[in-house]
Amino acid sequence: MANPKIEFYRFKLNSKKGKNKTFRDFSIEELKADVSISNEDAFMVNFEYFMKKINLGHASNRKLKKTFTIIDDKKINPYSDLKPTFSKAKNIFSGVISGGPYDRDRINSSMSDKKESTKLGRDRSILSPYFIFVYLPSEHHEGFFAIHSNSNEEKITTVFRTYVIDLFSGIQFSKGQLSHYSPKSFQDDFKKDATIKEFTFETSLIEKIISSKPMKGVFDEYTIKITAVPKGKKKVPF
């Protein structure tokens, strides 16, 4: 593992009706949950929907030639006990999945005797462990996920991002918006004795508290974005 890091992303549901539909709404309108479903049960519907494909098989991407899945066999996967688990009350789940490339010409060779080598078929994948954290707030339209990677070559970030965006689209929902995200604690730590070149104001934020009265984005019919950039070589002190 050369350069392990964690990448953070926020993503918004995109209802075809043009309104800020929540993840609870998604479970009802797209996954046919009961209209009276509770927030916690709505989260469970979305969690099971998220995990179904990778529990049964692979979430692969032919263009990227990468895949990820859940390997339950403890004899094969030393991280099987760390597979994703959930908290209904907090609307989160996290754990370790297995992912990597496939459809490549690879050879499996013994370090002690290279004569003990076999060719890996193009339908075989070389899987590594990756940690994920996903937040699907039932009463909000914007979620969050984090995924770790080891290097630019050894990562499944792009295929995972594509999976999330495709998953939360369908008959009633178009593909949502996804962007990089920096947690508040990271921002606070970065700002100590720091100067910046540019800062941007967004119209929404990731709430830390599950509530019955969620904070809404400012004016559904407007997009508000303000960017402040200093002239020349000046920096903006905090």
Side-chain angles (χ1 to χ4, degrees):
M1 295 187 182
N3 248 339
K5 65 179 181 180
I6 297 179
E7 296 179 78
F8 300 87
Y9 294 89
R10 58 199 293 174
F11 63 100
K12 299 178 183 179
L13 293 178
N14 186 13
S15 172
K16 293 180 180 180
K17 297 178 181 179
K19 297 181 179 179
N20 284 340
K21 293 287 187 173
T22 67
F23 283 93
R24 179 177 178 274
D25 293 327
F26 182 89
S27 72
I28 295 170
E29 297 180 16
E30 203 67 50
L31 305 180
K32 308 305 179 185
D34 190 270
V35 293
S36 62
I37 193 170
S38 68
N39 288 337
E40 289 189 357
D41 288 341
F43 165 76
M44 288 306 302
V45 170
N46 288 324
F47 168 71
E48 290 167 2
Y49 171 63
F50 192 104
M51 297 297 296
K52 182 177 180 180
K53 188 171 186 177
I54 56 178
N55 274 326
L56 294 176
H58 283 260
S60 58
N61 186 301
R62 292 182 180 180
K63 183 178 179 180
L64 298 172
K65 295 185 178 181
K66 286 190 176 181
T67 185
F68 62 93
T69 186
I70 299 288
I71 303 295
D72 285 317
D73 193 334
K74 294 183 179 180
K75 295 180 181 179
I76 297 174
N77 182 13
Y79 303 97
S80 61
D81 288 338
L82 299 177
K83 67 181 181 180
T85 56
F86 61 85
S87 168
K88 286 203 301 184
K90 295 182 179 179
N91 290 183
I92 61 174
F93 63 91
S94 62
V96 175
I97 59 176
S98 299
Y102 72 97
D103 194 19
R104 300 181 185 183
D105 291 321
R106 297 289 179 93
I107 297 173
N108 179 15
S109 181
S110 169
M111 294 293 290
S112 59
D113 186 357
K114 73 175 185 178
K115 292 181 180 180
E116 295 181 13
S117 299
T118 57
K119 181 180 179 180
L120 294 180
R122 284 183 169 266
D123 65 337
R124 311 292 290 181
S125 178
I126 306 297
L127 303 178
S128 299
Y130 295 94
F131 174 80
I132 61 170
F133 176 96
V134 182
Y135 175 44
L136 304 176
S138 291
E139 278 298 305
H140 302 272
H141 72 286
E142 189 168 11
F144 159 89
F145 68 84
I147 181 168
H148 112 266
S149 61
N150 298 321
S151 66
N152 287 333
E153 295 77 24
E154 190 181 344
K155 69 177 184 178
I156 58 168
T157 303
T158 303
V159 67
F160 188 82
R161 286 192 334 230
T162 303
Y163 177 77
V164 172
I165 292 301
D166 288 346
L167 196 70
F168 288 100
S169 62
I171 298 174
Q172 302 296 332
F173 290 78
S174 300
K175 292 184 179 181
Q177 303 170 3
L178 184 147
S179 59
H180 278 95
Y181 172 69
S182 178
K184 182 68 165 55
S185 59
F186 282 37
Q187 295 178 39
D188 292 341
D189 187 59
F190 173 78
K191 287 189 293 187
K192 296 176 182 177
D193 301 319
T195 58
I196 59 174
K197 294 183 178 179
E198 177 180 327
F199 57 88
T200 300
F201 297 93
E202 295 286 351
T203 61
S204 62
L205 52 82
I206 304 293
E207 291 190 72
K208 297 185 292 184
I209 302 172
I210 304 296
S211 68
S212 59
K213 295 181 179 180
M215 184 180 295
K216 299 295 185 182
V218 179
F219 304 117
D220 288 341
E221 64 269 31
Y222 291 97
T223 297
I224 299 175
K225 187 174 182 180
I226 304 171
T227 300
V229 183
K231 295 180 179 180
K233 299 181 179 180
K234 294 181 179 179
K235 304 295 184 182
V236 181
F238 280 103

